[in-house]
Amino acid sequence: ALGDEAENRRLGEDYRTRGCTFRSGGEETAPEEDVDCEEPENATNPQCIEALVSGDALAYQFQDAVAAYERAETSRNAGDMAAATPLYEEAATLLIGAVNADPNHRDSPRALLLAAQALVYTGRNDAAARIFQRVVDEVGPLDARGDAERQLELDHILAVAYFSLATAARQSFDYVRALENYRTLAESARFERSTDPEMPGMREDSVVESARMLEYTQSYADAATYYRRAAEIIDDPAERRAAYFRIALMSYRREDWSGTIREMNAFIDRYRSDSAAVEEVVEAAWHIHEAREAARSSASDRSAALRTVVDHYSRLGGTRGSMAAEYAAHARFILAEPTLTEFEDFSIDAGH
């Protein structure tokens, strides 16, 4: 019978719900001594049978919970959220129940993570956040360095929990909490040394999001530091260019005019031959003009900055109707009519 899954499930359920015993006469008597159930000759010992059946019962409980989650995933991937939502609710209940039945089970960390993700798909974000936090609290202290494969699995589960907590906080406009979790993922030595193939992508996203959160909270100097880190690790050329531009923009945001001129010129030098960067290069040149105005630079320096705006627009082939075209047009206007001081406070909000 012990090789029959259906019979094992029945025995396990009896053991779990009715306290059935496998000892002689049905009596719950303690064994005289512990038995090594790893030894083949003890396979039929009542103590070993009880351990096997109770273990099987828990294994089946986790197995059924994961199967419910996979059914929900199948429906979601097919675009049928009406069918997926109740399946996710069922899966979350089963997964949490399995973990509560045996918090120390090997599959408990993964089950908790799946339960939280299931709750996200049902729209129960607050409940999901509590489970993600439970993952952090319970999985964080676990250490399986003697088992590389297990350590990789735990690192992945913990990283996903931190990233999910940060994302949930960001979506709730709780930027302080979001930043705390993003920075943990970005800075932790544990995640830096992890061999999880998905870890570099999660850490890269966390660095970028940390920079954005710092910018939103007006911590511009720290934001510039994180944008610089992002620029060094991002592979996508457009995203890397955007990170370098925002390094310079942080000086402009904090009204550091000498820093603005220095950083914007550094950005222009990096991308002066890249036609794909025309929008950022022309905007950078315009911000140099603004910085020179604010710093009360000489008239010749201010005029030179305006000519640079026009030159970069023409040289990199800016397109009509773009924000770069707006900057260039106004620079031409000021150069042509320098006495029209009522336009000197002109500014363009490019959404940056």
Side-chain angles (χ1 to χ4, degrees):
L2 293 177
D4 185 317
E5 179 177 332
E7 181 64 9
N8 285 355
R9 283 178 175 271
R10 185 190 67 77
L11 292 172
E13 183 64 14
D14 285 348
Y15 183 82
R16 185 179 69 83
T17 61
R18 298 166 55 190
C20 292
T21 180
F22 294 91
R23 296 177 186 166
S24 177
E27 294 297 326
E28 289 281 355
T29 56
E32 294 182 359
E33 59 182 17
D34 289 335
V35 176
D36 184 358
C37 294
E38 296 295 324
E39 295 295 332
E41 62 267 22
N42 294 328
T44 59
N45 184 285
Q47 182 180 347
C48 295
I49 294 174
E50 286 184 12
L52 178 62
V53 170
S54 62
D56 280 349
L58 284 169
Y60 290 138
Q61 193 170 352
F62 278 97
Q63 179 181 314
D64 292 345
V66 171
Y69 183 88
E70 291 174 347
R71 289 195 298 274
E73 288 281 88
T74 299
S75 294
R76 181 177 67 87
N77 292 335
D80 189 356
M81 281 306 297
T85 298
L87 290 173
Y88 277 125
E89 292 173 346
E90 176 191 3
T93 300
L94 291 172
L95 288 161
I96 294 171
V99 172
N100 291 340
D102 185 2
N104 297 319
H105 194 280
R106 183 180 179 87
D107 290 333
S108 286
R110 177 171 175 252
L112 275 180
L113 184 66
L114 292 180
Q117 291 172 329
L119 289 168
V120 169
Y121 289 127
T122 65
R124 297 169 59 188
N125 295 323
D126 289 343
R130 288 193 293 272
I131 301 300
F132 282 127
Q133 186 62 56
R134 183 176 171 184
V135 174
V136 168
D137 295 340
E138 296 182 11
V139 178
L142 298 180
D143 189 344
R145 293 186 190 178
D147 182 343
E149 184 177 348
R150 176 63 169 169
Q151 188 64 50
L152 185 149
E153 179 188 23
L154 294 175
D155 290 346
H156 177 83
I157 289 169
L158 189 60
V160 171
Y162 271 116
F163 194 85
S164 299
L165 277 173
T167 301
R170 175 175 58 79
Q171 291 171 342
S172 299
F173 305 102
D174 185 350
Y175 295 142
V176 173
R177 187 172 176 222
L179 178 60
E180 178 185 351
N181 286 290
Y182 281 132
R183 291 181 83 166
T184 297
L185 185 50
E187 301 293 343
S188 170
R190 173 176 183 169
F191 298 130
E192 183 178 8
R193 66 173 176 258
S194 175
T195 58
D196 175 14
E198 295 183 35
M199 192 65 70
M202 284 192 283
R203 295 187 72 240
E204 177 183 311
D205 289 344
S206 293
V207 170
V208 172
E209 292 298 338
S210 293
R212 290 172 178 165
M213 295 301 101
L214 288 162
E215 182 178 354
Y216 293 158
T217 56
Q218 300 183 358
S219 300
Y220 297 130
D222 288 339
T225 298
Y226 270 84
Y227 278 126
R228 193 173 301 280
R229 281 186 60 187
E232 291 169 355
I233 62 177
I234 289 173
D235 291 326
D236 182 81
E239 292 181 6
R240 184 168 59 247
R241 183 174 70 243
Y244 276 121
F245 179 76
R246 299 201 83 78
I247 294 169
L249 195 62
M250 294 306 98
S251 293
Y252 176 79
R253 290 272 192 258
R254 64 177 184 268
E255 299 184 355
D256 174 3
W257 305 127
S258 62
T260 297
I261 292 168
R262 181 181 63 255
E263 295 293 349
M264 291 295 176
N265 272 322
F267 177 81
I268 291 170
D269 288 343
R270 184 181 294 274
Y271 289 102
R272 65 172 55 253
S273 300
D274 187 351
S275 60
V278 59
E279 290 291 318
E280 293 97 333
V281 168
V282 173
E283 184 178 347
W286 178 261
H287 288 319
I288 290 173
H289 159 68
E290 290 181 309
R292 292 208 176 278
E293 288 284 346
R296 300 183 182 280
S297 298
S298 67
S300 61
D301 283 344
R302 297 199 303 272
S303 294
L306 288 169
R307 286 194 293 273
T308 300
V309 175
V310 176
D311 290 346
H312 286 314
Y313 175 78
S314 300
R315 183 173 52 79
L316 292 176
T319 57
R320 296 181 63 177
S322 64
M323 291 308 303
E326 293 289 333
Y327 289 123
H330 194 69
R332 290 192 192 97
F333 182 83
I334 296 174
L335 287 168
E337 301 289 347
T339 60
L340 296 180
T341 57
E342 65 268 29
F343 289 98
E344 286 298 306
D345 291 332
F346 170 86
S347 65
I348 299 173
D349 182 1
H352 295 288

